[in-house]
Amino acid sequence: MKIYINGRVTNEQEAMVSVYDHGFLYGIGLFETFRTYDGQPFLLEKHRARLQAGCEQLGIAYQTEAGQWEQIVQSLLHANELRNAYIRFTVTAGQEALGLPVGSYAEPSVIVYIKSLPPRNEQQDRYGKSLQLLQLPRNTPEGPVRLKSLHFMNNILAKRELQQYPWADGAEGLLVDGQGRIAEGIVNNVFYVKHGRLYTPSLATGILPGITRAFVISLAEAAGVYVEEGLYDWSTIREADEVFITNSIQEIVPITKLFDPTGQQTTMSNGIIGDLTGRLLRLYRQRTIAVI
């Protein structure tokens, strides 16, 4: 594939960053992932704004001009002959002396990756996926709000734990915070439905303020659905009528089976997509079609 790095599109094999880049040395950097629909990026400005705000917190001097992200996306789609694609914008701190910095990062590196997306999984839309409760707790954010940073070790360890459960093949993993409250998935946010109302863990649990999470909340509220952000435990999820997860690539994924670390199973919505989940998924798809 061809990727973008510091102002140019090049073959991925030729792209290089310095071994003194503090993204490599200390994990100082941020990224955003989103997808395109027939050549049009979805919620691009929301992703750009979140990354920009994170760079300001980290002292990374990264500024973008109006339309710059759109131009980069279009150049990569054209270079790779794609229309529907996964896009990852990464901004690293850039090259600095070995040791912790004493000031701001003046010359960040910008790398944008792209890859093709698989066809939509119609079976998953109808029958959903499984969600596995993990024993590994979600680490607390390094700062006041969790950033989508290059420091991903907690997520990687969670993925390794998920692979240890033989019954959880193809499942998503669910993390709780240090107090045992439901937090988020390894790469997604979680919602549940009870008596027609929609619930999702509060940002107070230290979760990432997901772009798709916020979009789904706005969709639900616009459709007249009551939405609550709060503190919930595993038993609350198990007693829910419906459960689903969200992220920018997978959109809305219904959850029809829950597993705890002992392998105990709970079946949701009789094993098929729930009514409100289906309604929100249709609304989401309508909005993505509208951007094309």
Side-chain angles (χ1 to χ4, degrees), residues 31 134 136-139 142 146-163 173 175 184-188 208:
F31 71 99
L134 302 175
L136 180 75
R138 188 65 168 118
N139 63 338
E142 291 84 353
R146 185 176 299 279
L147 302 178
K148 199 171 179 70
S149 77
L150 303 185
H151 178 31
F152 232 55
M153 189 177 296
N154 189 227
N155 305 66
I156 292 170
L157 291 175
K159 185 71 171 181
R160 291 180 66 85
E161 180 188 338
L162 178 62
Q163 293 168 343
L175 294 151
E184 60 188 343
I186 298 174
V187 292
N188 42 58
L208 180 75

Side-chain angles (χ1 to χ4, degrees), residues 138-141 146 177-178 181-184 201-207 230-232:
R138 188 65 168 118
N139 63 338
T140 56
R146 185 176 299 279
D177 68 8
R181 302 172 301 197
I182 296 301
E184 60 188 343
S202 166
L203 297 182
T205 59
I207 64 175
L231 305 175
Y232 316 109

Side-chain angles (χ1 to χ4, degrees), residues 50-107:
R50 183 171 68 176
L51 187 140
Q52 183 76 64
C55 284
E56 291 175 4
Q57 290 186 48
L58 295 175
I60 298 175
Y62 176 66
Q63 299 289 331
T64 58
E65 299 176 358
Q68 184 177 10
W69 276 35
E70 289 88 342
Q71 293 173 6
I72 293 172
V73 169
Q74 292 304 322
S75 67
L76 284 177
L77 289 172
H78 177 75
N80 292 283
E81 299 182 344
L82 294 174
R83 299 292 292 170
N84 298 298
Y86 164 109
I87 307 287
R88 169 174 160 151
F89 263 80
T90 302
V91 177
T92 78
Q95 182 175 337
E96 280 286 349
L98 190 62
L100 299 183
V102 295
S104 298
Y105 292 105
E107 298 182 9

Side-chain angles (χ1 to χ4, degrees), residues 65-288:
E65 299 176 358
Q68 184 177 10
W69 276 35
E70 289 88 342
Q71 293 173 6
I72 293 172
V73 169
Q74 292 304 322
S75 67
L76 284 177
L77 289 172
H78 177 75
N80 292 283
E81 299 182 344
L82 294 174
R83 299 292 292 170
N84 298 298
Y86 164 109
I87 307 287
R88 169 174 160 151
F89 263 80
T90 302
V91 177
T92 78
Q95 182 175 337
E96 280 286 349
L98 190 62
L100 299 183
V102 295
S104 298
Y105 292 105
E107 298 182 9
S109 290
V110 180
I111 305 102
V112 187
Y113 305 86
I114 186 172
K115 66 179 181 180
S116 60
L117 289 170
R120 180 164 285 153
N121 189 334
E122 302 294 343
Q123 287 291 100
Q124 179 176 284
D125 284 353
R126 178 169 176 77
Y127 297 107
K129 297 187 71 173
S130 300
L131 189 64
Q132 171 69 51
L133 177 66
L134 302 175
Q135 294 178 303
L136 180 75
R138 188 65 168 118
N139 63 338
T140 56
E142 291 84 353
V145 178
R146 185 176 299 279
L147 302 178
K148 199 171 179 70
S149 77
L150 303 185
H151 178 31
F152 232 55
M153 189 177 296
N154 189 227
N155 305 66
I156 292 170
L157 291 175
K159 185 71 171 181
R160 291 180 66 85
E161 180 188 338
L162 178 62
Q163 293 168 343
Q164 296 174 10
Y165 301 114
W167 54 79
D169 184 40
E172 299 286 342
L174 179 65
L175 294 151
V176 297
D177 68 8
Q179 288 71 49
R181 302 172 301 197
I182 296 301
E184 60 188 343
I186 298 174
V187 292
N188 42 58
N189 291 116
V190 62
F191 290 80
Y192 74 89
V193 178
K194 188 71 175 179
H195 302 313
R197 294 186 168 196
L198 186 63
Y199 300 86
T200 193
S202 166
L203 297 182
T205 59
I207 64 175
L208 180 75
I211 300 299
T212 304
R213 173 185 181 274
F215 182 69
V216 168
I217 289 173
S218 68
L219 277 182
E221 291 177 336
V225 178
Y226 172 86
V227 182
E228 177 184 291
E229 300 177 58
L231 305 175
Y232 316 109
D233 59 22
W234 175 243
S235 63
T236 306
I237 296 287
R238 289 184 59 206
E239 294 166 2
D241 299 322
E242 306 172 36
V243 178
F244 63 86
I245 55 176
T246 63
N247 75 22
S248 296
I249 306 302
Q250 296 176 308
E251 305 173 328
I252 294 174
V253 179
I255 296 297
T256 50
K257 290 182 181 179
L258 302 174
F259 291 100
D260 70 13
T262 69
Q264 182 177 356
Q265 176 183 320
T266 302
T267 300
M268 317 297 300
S269 308
N270 297 317
I272 59 174
I273 185 172
D275 291 340
L276 182 54
T277 302
R279 181 183 174 194
L280 291 173
L281 181 55
R282 289 190 294 273
L283 288 171
Y284 192 103
R285 298 272 170 82
Q286 289 170 10
R287 291 294 294 274
T288 60

